[in-house]
Amino acid sequence: MEAKPAVMWSCGPLNGTGGVEDQPLCQHMHLVLSVFSLLYLVAGVPVGLGYNALLVLVNLHDQSSMTMPDVYFVNMAVAGLVLSALAPVHLLGPTASGWALWGFGSEAHVTLLVLFNVSSLVTMYSTALLSLDCYIERALPRTYMSSVYNTRHVCGFVWGGALLTSFSSLLFYVCSHVAARIVECSKMRDAQAADAIMVFIGYVVPALAVLYALALLSRIRKEDTPLDQDAGRLDPSVHRLLVATVCTQFGLWTPHYLTLLGHTLLALRGRPVDRHHLGILLFAKDLARFLAFSSSSVVPLLYRYINRNFPGKLRRLIKKMHCGRQSCSPDQAGVQQVMA
């Protein structure tokens, strides 16, 4: 018999527990979460899609001026586009809403979950590698170890590694949703194992890398060296952008991985969870998923307003789109720049 998906954003798990006093609080919490989710779908998703697409187009149009951080932010923007496209399906689908607008089978659920996991892995590892490469560029600006050419290849490996990592989780998720008659899945019907893999690989490893890189950067910033006058050093605004991005990404993604860890630890107890704690866990999972999706809208805004080079790149893109295939005359270019 196929298990029905858990109904979220409702107080159903609390019914029948005798905790009538918890019902109003539960309903108010879910109402607040529903309002914020609808606001995100109305405003956050268009902002995420628009700014992430703009970030990708502006940098790909002017590839000659791209720096190492730009490549990582383009990588995160592509993952943000995937997350923004998945947000309506997750936030209005049967696995996340008691008033779902549509339903889907277990195959669609697993596919969407794998796409979400791949995007989360790309986001976290791009942030971690950005921190490490910023340290390398700060310490040794002329080594080209963190060049744009190398960074593009690294980003390709990040997507490939995310797909391979999600494949192992995919096996667990598939075997936890398909019928028990499949012999190969009889010993793998454990979704908690997939969650444990995601917590360790998707959060613990990049978090340690970011902490290590920030510690090294803090030591370098306290020391004045002749390399500080090097013209090839990154723009000082990159450090502010790095700190803001790290704090935003880990601040918005940490609750998601904590709920996965909590779900795994509760499953290891081997005892059924009472409905009161189940309701709290489901609500925390909904809230964490909402915060994770919101990262796809916040990070491109940080890039837009902290990166000093982005406005100039955007003006050049708008000027080229206005002029079309014909090159603008110097007077036209000056007029377009003033208007921009």
Side-chain angles (χ1 to χ4, degrees):
M1 181 177 179
E2 183 178 358
K4 296 181 180 181
V7 178
M8 317 284 259
W9 291 4
S10 67
C11 298
L14 296 178
N15 294 334
T17 61
V20 181
E21 66 279 359
D22 294 334
Q23 285 292 322
L25 178 60
C26 172
Q27 294 173 358
H28 283 87
M29 293 172 62
H30 286 286
L31 178 61
V32 171
L33 180 58
S34 300
V35 170
F36 276 103
S37 298
L38 287 177
L39 289 176
Y40 171 72
L41 291 175
V42 173
V45 170
V47 168
L49 290 173
Y51 271 95
N52 280 309
L54 190 63
L55 194 157
V56 174
L57 290 175
V58 166
N59 283 284
L60 293 184
H61 167 260
D62 197 2
Q63 298 187 35
S64 60
S65 64
M66 287 182 66
T67 60
M68 173 268 296
D70 293 330
V71 179
Y72 282 118
F73 276 97
V74 168
N75 208 41
M76 285 187 278
V78 175
L81 287 172
V82 177
L83 289 173
S84 297
L86 293 177
V89 182
H90 277 280
L91 297 180
L92 296 178
T95 61
S97 174
W99 38 273
L101 299 183
W102 60 78
F104 47 76
S106 59
E107 293 81 5
H109 170 68
V110 171
T111 302
L112 294 173
L113 195 58
V114 169
L115 290 175
F116 178 82
N117 288 339
V118 170
S119 301
S120 67
L121 288 170
V122 171
T123 298
M124 301 303 286
Y125 274 90
S126 295
T127 304
L129 292 171
L130 172 64
S131 304
L132 293 171
D133 278 354
C134 281
Y135 162 71
I136 295 175
E137 189 70 18
R138 173 78 179 177
L140 302 170
R142 293 296 184 181
T143 60
Y144 299 101
M145 294 176 61
S146 57
S147 64
V148 174
Y149 177 80
N150 292 337
T151 304
R152 288 174 179 171
H153 289 281
V154 169
C155 289
F157 283 113
V158 168
W159 280 96
L163 290 172
L164 290 176
T165 303
S166 298
F167 181 76
S168 60
S169 300
L170 174 63
L171 294 178
F172 287 101
Y173 282 120
V174 168
C175 289
S176 65
H177 284 80
V178 298
R181 63 177 180 272
I182 302 180
V183 179
E184 289 79 2
C185 288
S186 59
K187 296 183 179 180
M188 296 182 62
R189 302 189 66 195
D190 188 4
Q192 286 73 35
D195 293 340
I197 293 175
M198 288 300 301
V199 170
F200 179 76
I201 299 179
Y203 183 79
V204 175
V205 174
L208 292 176
V210 166
L211 291 176
Y212 179 68
L214 293 180
L216 294 175
L217 281 171
S218 65
R219 291 177 56 185
I220 289 182
R221 287 177 63 86
K222 296 178 181 178
E223 303 173 359
D224 294 330
T225 64
L227 291 176
D228 291 333
Q229 307 300 325
D230 197 303
R233 187 174 294 280
L234 291 175
D235 189 274
S237 64
V238 172
H239 181 75
R240 297 194 301 271
L241 181 60
L242 169 65
V243 174
T245 301
V246 169
C247 294
T248 300
Q249 294 286 30
F250 278 87
L252 295 176
W253 280 97
T254 296
H256 168 67
Y257 286 103
L258 287 180
T259 56
L260 293 182
L261 179 62
H263 187 229
T264 302
L265 294 177
L266 289 176
L268 291 177
R269 292 171 53 189
R271 293 179 294 176
V273 182
D274 60 86
R275 293 189 176 184
H276 176 73
H277 291 92
L278 178 61
I280 295 176
L281 179 62
L282 295 182
F283 175 79
K285 187 176 181 181
D286 290 335
L287 179 60
R289 186 66 61 89
F290 164 74
L291 293 176
F293 278 120
S294 64
S295 67
S296 63
S297 302
V298 177
V299 172
L301 291 176
L302 292 176
Y303 181 86
R304 163 66 179 84
Y305 289 104
I306 299 180
N307 192 309
R308 296 178 179 178
N309 299 324
F310 184 81
K313 293 181 179 181
L314 181 59
R315 284 195 294 268
R316 288 193 291 270
L317 176 62
I318 295 176
K319 182 177 66 176
K320 183 175 181 181
M321 293 176 61
H322 180 81
C323 297
R325 296 183 178 180
Q326 299 179 355
S327 60
C328 293
S329 63
D331 293 337
Q332 288 178 327
V335 171
Q336 294 300 325
Q337 186 174 5
V338 172
M339 293 179 62

